Amino acid sequence: MSYLYIYYLQVLFLTFIVVNHMWEIYLSSRQLQALHQSSSDVPEEFKPFFTLTEHQRSIHYASSKLKFGQIRLIWNAAVLFYWFPFRGAERLFLALPDWNVHREVCYLLAFGLIQMLLNLPWSLYSTFVLEERFGFNRTTPRIFLLDRLKGLFIGAALIIPLLYGVFFLYQALGSWWWLASFILITIFQFSLVWLYPTYIAPLFNKFSPLEGEELKTEIEKLVSNAGLEASGVFVMDASKRSSHGNAYFTGFRKNKRVVFFDTLLTDLNTKEILAILAHELGHLKLKHIPKSLMTSLILSFIGFWLMGYLSTKPWFYNGHFIRISSPAILLLLFTQAIPLYTFWSTPIGSWISRKREFEADAYAAKETEAKDLIAGLLKLYQQNASPIVTDKLYSIFYHSHPPALERIKRLESTEIKAS
Ligand SMILES: [Zn+2]
């Protein structure tokens, strides 16, 4: 391929770095404006639930996070410029001694470590300044440090053998390495989803069964309706890090579980807890985890096939400002550069996720009562100081959960149908 094509690809890549980040800054300024416009008054529908002070606090909180995010986006773009057009990624590879496969592994570890250090000031600021200012932070410097160290060791223990595996396949199998690597990564991904709730998450938090006499029989009923075992509902000590509340579902097969943050439980009454539990059970019953695993399986197959195809094309490396080709650089490009092109599919993922939230809400309305879920959700918004207003475009692009008003209106309509 001629030099001209390499040049075109370089221009395209630079355009994506600039345009993507500008687009994200644009979206968040739209969101800032939408928040600002509604700050003088609580939206009509929410007047019975939120005071003006609460509403303004959530807007102030969301705006601070958005402004912080905008500065961070500029920084991220600068870091990408350093790695690629300014050839930082190439220099890092050349700086390492030629140890064959060890060099490949060290390269990605060094890159990961540098990225982690570059992110550190941002997480420090976010936890100890931003969250602190709004009274959410409960993380002590000790917990913060321990979390980072644990993450580093667990990450290394999982990633190093995996990288050696992939690079071994690359050397041993020739043109079919991508298929073998795809299988290896898939097995790894599935075992991680399976291991995470029982072996990894407990290294960071304590999990205890959700209890209470009054709750117990009701929980058992909901849980067995969803085809789950009663031992699968847990409370997590989230309060040791922050006062934000939440609930989530995780795992698959025998390891399925629903997890409540202890912070959420303090504010909800029994009926609301059950409604939110039913929502999470809805995700499990409707097989949302296997469905997303299937999607990521297909996407990762395409990704590995493409990697196999591009691995031997010098223009692909050169087009991203790296004049060396090696399997580690290929992996680096697929994790750092390719996402800039796939970024534009974000709204599709958000749309699927919002659709699943509606489905889980409908399930909860059927199993419990829509009004309890509405009340529970409103408390969740209140507790997290989540803004109840949003810019339409911002929401379409990013939001994994439908905007508060849409969600509540949909639930209210199911309530009317039921009665
Ligand atoms: Zn959900």
Side-chain angles (χ1 to χ4, degrees):
M1 196 169 264
S2 77
Y3 280 111
L4 200 59
Y5 283 106
I6 292 173
Y7 173 72
Y8 285 153
L9 184 54
Q10 289 181 343
V11 172
L12 186 76
F13 179 52
L14 290 176
T15 312
F16 269 85
I17 300 182
V18 175
V19 172
N20 287 12
H21 289 86
M22 277 170 54
W23 173 251
E24 288 200 85
I25 292 171
Y26 165 69
L27 283 182
S28 72
S29 56
R30 282 182 65 115
Q31 178 75 343
L32 274 168
Q33 204 185 355
L35 293 174
H36 183 73
Q37 276 168 359
S38 82
S39 65
S40 56
D41 202 8
V42 183
E44 209 48 53
E45 297 85 348
F46 293 100
K47 283 219 166 108
F49 312 106
F50 296 94
T51 64
L52 184 62
T53 321
E54 279 174 332
H55 177 62
Q56 284 173 338
R57 175 171 172 261
S58 75
I59 283 179
H60 188 190
Y61 175 54
S63 309
S64 308
K65 281 202 295 189
L66 284 164
K67 284 176 197 156
F68 173 71
Q70 286 183 326
I71 301 169
R72 191 164 184 178
L73 279 166
I74 296 169
W75 168 255
N76 287 351
V79 170
L80 278 171
F81 264 92
Y82 169 74
W83 285 126
F84 299 104
F86 291 110
R87 304 198 190 270
E90 187 185 273
R91 275 199 300 279
L92 180 62
F93 192 83
L94 294 172
L96 295 169
D98 190 3
W99 292 328
N100 203 342
V101 70
H102 307 301
R103 182 195 207 174
E104 307 283 328
V105 174
C106 287
Y107 177 63
L108 291 177
L109 292 180
F111 182 87
L113 209 60
I114 295 171
Q115 285 286 74
M116 205 196 88
L117 290 174
L118 289 176
N119 282 329
L120 198 60
W122 299 91
S123 351
L124 281 167
Y125 183 86
S126 163
T127 310
F128 295 108
V129 181
L130 229 163
E131 294 290 307
E132 187 77 39
R133 189 189 303 154
F134 290 89
F136 288 119
N137 180 45
R138 289 187 190 163
T139 306
T140 59
R142 191 186 123 87
I143 294 177
F144 187 89
L145 188 69
L146 277 177
D147 281 352
R148 291 300 171 292
L149 289 176
K150 275 188 231 168
L152 205 62
F153 281 112
I154 297 164
L158 294 170
I159 290 293
I160 294 173
L162 194 67
L163 288 177
Y164 272 106
V166 171
F167 296 139
F168 169 76
L169 293 173
Y170 189 91
Q171 286 183 335
L173 292 181
S175 58
W176 286 99
W177 73 273
W178 67 268
L179 187 61
S181 300
F182 163 73
I183 296 168
L184 178 71
I185 299 276
T186 304
I187 296 171
F188 174 77
Q189 199 192 2
F190 272 76
S191 12
L192 206 61
V193 175
W194 190 74
L195 285 173
Y196 180 80
T198 29
Y199 294 99
I200 299 176
L203 297 172
F204 292 88
N205 282 96
K206 279 199 191 72
F207 293 84
S208 40
L210 178 58
E211 275 164 348
E213 276 314 307
E214 199 188 348
L215 270 174
K216 214 168 177 187
T217 43
E218 289 295 318
I219 288 178
E220 276 167 12
K221 204 174 86 193
L222 280 178
V223 162
S224 72
N225 281 356
L228 196 80
E229 278 169 42
S231 61
V233 184
F234 289 85
V235 184
M236 183 181 103
D237 62 342
S239 55
K240 79 174 194 188
R241 290 195 182 79
S242 110
S243 58
H244 285 299
N246 208 348
Y248 69 91
F249 64 99
T250 174
F252 71 143
R253 300 192 67 89
K254 282 254 171 286
N255 265 351
K256 285 191 284 237
R257 51 171 69 181
V258 173
V259 176
F260 277 93
F261 285 21
D262 55 354
T263 38
L264 178 62
L265 293 178
T266 50
D267 281 5
L268 298 181
N269 67 34
T270 307
K271 283 187 154 188
E272 292 156 357
I273 293 174
L274 290 170
I276 289 188
L277 174 64
H279 169 96
E280 299 302 332
L281 291 171
H283 283 303
L284 290 174
K285 177 82 176 175
L286 299 162
K287 303 209 176 334
H288 290 160
I289 292 185
K291 279 181 189 165
S292 3
L293 275 175
M294 216 44 215
T295 317
S296 79
L297 202 67
I298 295 166
L299 293 176
S300 113
F301 182 83
I302 298 170
F304 273 95
W305 170 80
L306 196 64
M307 240 197 276
Y309 172 76
L310 293 170
S311 61
T312 53
K313 308 281 184 284
W315 56 263
F316 175 67
Y317 299 88
N318 263 303
H320 294 93
F321 304 93
I322 298 179
R323 288 161 295 190
I324 316 154
S325 52
S326 97
I329 291 177
L330 184 69
L331 285 188
L332 183 83
L333 288 176
F334 265 77
T335 50
Q336 306 299 316
I338 297 291
L340 290 166
Y341 306 114
T342 56
F343 165 78
W344 296 94
S345 69
T346 309
I348 303 175
S350 307
W351 177 75
I352 294 173
S353 168
R354 287 195 302 268
K355 194 169 148 283
R356 289 181 180 162
E357 290 307 323
F358 279 134
E359 289 171 7
D361 277 354
Y363 178 87
K366 190 168 64 99
E367 292 289 307
T368 58
E369 274 183 70
K371 68 170 174 28
D372 296 325
L373 185 58
I374 295 174
L377 285 174
L378 287 168
K379 283 190 187 168
L380 200 64
Y381 275 92
Q382 211 161 25
Q383 191 184 45
N384 290 321
S386 311
I388 42 182
V389 281
T390 181
D391 173 64
K392 187 82 186 151
L393 193 60
Y394 182 90
S395 174
I396 287 174
F397 205 87
Y398 289 120
H399 281 163
S400 62
H401 287 63
L405 191 59
E406 275 182 45
R407 219 171 150 183
I408 287 164
K409 273 193 175 150
R410 183 84 66 108
L411 279 167
E412 276 169 351
S413 75
T414 62
E415 198 180 23
I416 294 161
K417 265 181 240 155
S419 58

